Amino acid sequence: MVIEERKMQSLAARLSQDEVRGRSPWADARKRFVRNKAAMAGLIILILVGLFALLGEYVAAWSNDELDFTVMGQVAQMGMPSLQNGHYFGTDDLGRDLFARTVQGTQISLMVGIVGAAIAVVVGTLYGATAGYVGGRTDQFMMRAVDILMSIPYMFVLILLLVMFGRSMSMLFLGIGLISWLDMSRIVRGQTLSLKNREFIEAARAIGVPAWKIVLRHVVPNLLGVVAVYATLLVPLMILTESFISFLGLGVQEPLTSWGALISEGAGTMNYGTLWQLAFPLFFFVITLFGFFFVGDGLRDALDPKDR
Amino acid sequence: MMTRPLLDVHDLRVTFRIRREGAMPWAAPLPLHAVSGVDFTLDPGETLGVVGESGCGKSTLARALIGLVPAAGRAEWIDGRDLIGLSPRQMMTYRSDIQMVFQDPLASLNPRMTVGQIIAEPLKTHRPGLKSAEVKERVKAMMEKVGLLPNQINRYPHEFSGGQCQRIGIARALIVEPKLIICDEPVSALDVSIQAQVINLLIRLQRELGLALIFIAHDLSVVKHISDRVMVLYLGKVMEIGTTDDLFADPQHPYTQALLSAVPVPDPDYDPAATVVPLAGDLPSPMSPPSGCVFRTRCPRAQPVCARQVPALLGDAHQTACHFPGPLSDEEIARARAVRAA
Ligand SMILES: Nc1ncnc2c1ncn2[C@@H]1O[C@H](COP(=O)(O)OP(=O)(O)OP(=O)(O)O)[C@@H](O)[C@H]1O
Ligand code: SF4
Ligand SMILES: [Mg+2]
């Protein structure tokens, strides 16, 4: 009888045990992501760039609109990067501290990228998931609207908007927000259509879960993988768009600046021997884009493992 | 006094509109009669087995009863209400009475939800007043009832085996204390060794809770084991319906006999070639079913009248839809074999 008793005890212990923590699909993906070296490198780069944008101001010896009269007029000789006079990245053509300006440009560019992607995620996901889930005529109508919006040459419209209503941050965000969600809504709709006929959606309908709750609790969480990947790839795209507009001279207004504006200025003065004016902003621009692409790739591999 | 049946289905029809591939956009879509006039009744606590070849409309029948596809006809619930054509809001009251267990155990569970959330969903939908501690209590009790460890409540579906996933599906169906559970091939995706466990669990729970079951299956031996009565479907129509003992011992419809003859018998001397009544030809398309008796294109007993007249479902307890019911003669079996061989 000894054995029986022991068995019963272990069973009782097992039953009264604390609740076991589950291994969510997200946790699995996180593990795969951490093992991916390129993705982790990208993530570290992005964190460093983020810290640079957040904390750079406290390190800078100058503000971004202060003119340094000692270097003015002889930037090529005096304005190069140096630790003594506090211009770690040198100065720009007017004698303003390039370090402070790069910090400030990084803030704007990252913000544009992240806000654009965030709008795309929220609007695009809900729009696409609703169209796909409801289906039928509603779907037709909603997606035709997207088609029409997509057929508009948005760069042209954006430039027109900026020229007509004046250059401002809110105009820029509005313009970028208007276009960024279109692709996202298409991708999400496609995914939703394939999810819609899965049995667990049918099960939820049979239970009587209302449609909006099915979209939010059953459809959207199963889309988040695709959405996350696309959003990380969208951030650099938004940054590129903003840079292009700034490069054309229509972006943010002085004394504010962005990577595109800085690169544009740096490229303009390249011939005067002030190469650092191009090199520093370009460096941050390039590593950030690579960072996002690596992270996006890593996310895709982590969320969609082929070997399952 | 006759008690009211739990569910009284009369002339249930489900028609899908199929758009032909490459057809002009204005061309009218063709009708596909997936379920075309099904009648049956189901008593409280009873198990009705539903059998038939793939594509004969078993799943569609289940989905129509639960309101997932639009249907025509009548399906009267025990309180006299017709379930067909209820608005989603009116249907809500009955949704907790009728629950469903699906074929693919893993696919019917949302991979991003924990077991606790999955089982709790019907409760949260139908009993919104419950406190979350109470919900959790009930979920744990239900998990124990279906043979899952309650401390696994925070795990995700992919951490469970197929049989355990189906137990989760059963727990989800039972948590709102339904009167009827529709099981659409609940075990056909499982290993044979696991099938028996799940079937026995279903039988046990049914007895304990006084549930009625509609049990859809391919496997006739499973149906025989679990059902009180059996309904045979062919091309969306009822061919024969009767008590399990009657139907298996004395099948009247030629189609039923062909189906039953294909069931393997646990007998070492059993020779399938000697007993199987083969079905000649392929299943006709439900888009253009044969006139008269839908089975006539494959029936060894078909007569000219079978093409002209639709046979009615006749009989009291044991009903058959055939102009010439009765056991097949050796001659007819031989004829069926000859057609098959040709
Ligand atoms: N949503 C739909 N749209 C169009 N046709 C459908 C739809 N669902 C089912 N059908 C058709 O209805 C018929 C019956 O299908 P159903 O799934 O009910 O068969 P079944 O008996 O469950 O088959 P199986 O044993 O393979 O599960 C089939 O011809 C099928 O092609
Ligand atoms: S009605 Fe005619 S064709 Fe149909 S099953 Fe009976 S004998 Fe065969
Ligand atoms: Mg089916």
Side-chain angles (χ1 to χ4, degrees), chain B residues 230 232 238-261 277 293 295 299-302 311-329 332:
Chain B
V230 175
V232 180
V238 181
M239 294 289 105
E240 186 164 5
I241 180 169
T243 62
T244 308
D245 294 340
D246 254 7
L247 194 113
F248 276 81
D250 183 24
Q252 294 294 310
H253 198 284
Y255 178 60
T256 314
Q257 293 172 48
L259 269 188
L260 293 186
S261 73
V277 183
C293 171
F295 185 56
C299 179
R301 192 182 281 164
L313 190 61
L314 297 176
D316 296 330
H318 186 164
Q319 297 176 296
T320 312
C322 176
H323 293 303
F324 310 102
L328 288 171
S329 65
E332 281 162 339

Side-chain angles (χ1 to χ4, degrees), chain A residues 206-242:
Chain A
I207 288 167
V209 182
W212 62 270
K213 235 183 195 168
I214 294 184
V215 170
L216 287 185
R217 292 190 56 180
H218 295 272
V219 177
V220 169
N222 284 288
L223 290 169
L224 283 187
V226 185
V227 170
V229 172
Y230 189 70
T232 38
L233 298 177
L234 202 60
V235 175
L237 224 64
M238 294 292 117
I239 292 176
L240 276 171
T241 307
E242 189 279 330

Side-chain angles (χ1 to χ4, degrees), chain A residues 14 19-20 23 207 218, chain B residues 121 126 140 151 155 158:
Chain A
R14 217 150 61 98
E19 287 159 15
V20 187
R23 209 161 36 86
I207 288 167
H218 295 272
Chain B
E121 186 155 49
H126 293 282
K140 283 187 162 180
N151 63 13
R155 289 202 176 254
H158 69 113

Side-chain angles (χ1 to χ4, degrees), chain B residues 46-262:
Chain B
E46 187 189 32
T47 303
L48 177 71
V50 179
V51 297
E53 280 166 283
S54 184
C56 68
K58 306 184 294 292
S59 299
T60 308
L61 173 67
R63 298 173 71 226
L65 289 177
I66 211 159
L68 288 178
V69 291
R74 279 185 75 74
E76 202 169 291
W77 191 242
I78 190 164
D79 62 2
R81 196 68 180 269
D82 181 9
L83 299 181
I84 304 298
L86 286 186
S87 72
R89 178 173 302 220
Q90 293 167 319
M91 189 67 197
M92 250 340 241
T93 357
Y94 296 95
R95 286 211 187 274
S96 65
D97 284 338
I98 310 177
Q99 290 286 311
M100 187 149 169
V101 174
F102 292 84
Q103 175 169 6
D104 186 337
L106 188 56
S108 67
L109 308 176
N110 184 341
R112 307 267 171 205
M113 282 164 81
T114 63
V115 172
Q117 292 170 325
I118 291 171
I119 299 176
E121 186 155 49
L123 261 190
K124 291 203 168 139
T125 308
H126 293 282
R127 316 263 189 279
L130 280 184
K131 290 205 189 64
S132 56
E134 166 89 25
V135 169
K136 193 163 177 183
E137 208 50 48
R138 290 207 198 173
V139 167
K140 283 187 162 180
M142 186 49 72
M143 285 177 77
E144 200 154 5
K145 208 170 211 163
V146 299
L148 292 164
L149 287 174
N151 63 13
Q152 312 264 309
I153 188 166
N154 289 328
R155 289 202 176 254
Y156 288 83
H158 69 113
E159 299 175 272
F160 291 89
S161 68
Q164 285 174 317
C165 282
Q166 200 54 296
R167 286 170 195 265
I168 298 169
I170 293 170
R172 169 174 61 184
L174 286 177
I175 192 104
V176 280
E177 296 157 356
K179 298 195 175 71
L180 166 63
I181 294 190
I182 303 178
C183 306
D184 188 358
E185 310 200 25
V187 295
S188 50
L190 303 177
D191 284 351
V192 180
S193 55
I194 310 293
Q195 285 189 358
Q197 292 176 14
V198 173
I199 294 285
N200 289 335
L201 172 71
L202 272 174
I203 294 178
R204 202 193 77 217
L205 290 170
Q206 179 194 21
R207 298 224 172 104
E208 269 173 32
L209 307 170
L211 293 169
L213 286 185
I214 293 182
F215 191 92
I216 297 172
H218 264 121
D219 186 344
L220 286 167
S221 51
V222 169
V223 170
K224 187 174 178 181
H225 181 60
I226 196 171
S227 309
D228 300 315
R229 284 191 305 142
V230 175
M231 174 162 80
V232 180
L233 286 186
Y234 184 82
L235 276 188
K237 283 191 189 308
V238 181
M239 294 289 105
E240 186 164 5
I241 180 169
T243 62
T244 308
D245 294 340
D246 254 7
L247 194 113
F248 276 81
D250 183 24
Q252 294 294 310
H253 198 284
Y255 178 60
T256 314
Q257 293 172 48
L259 269 188
L260 293 186
S261 73

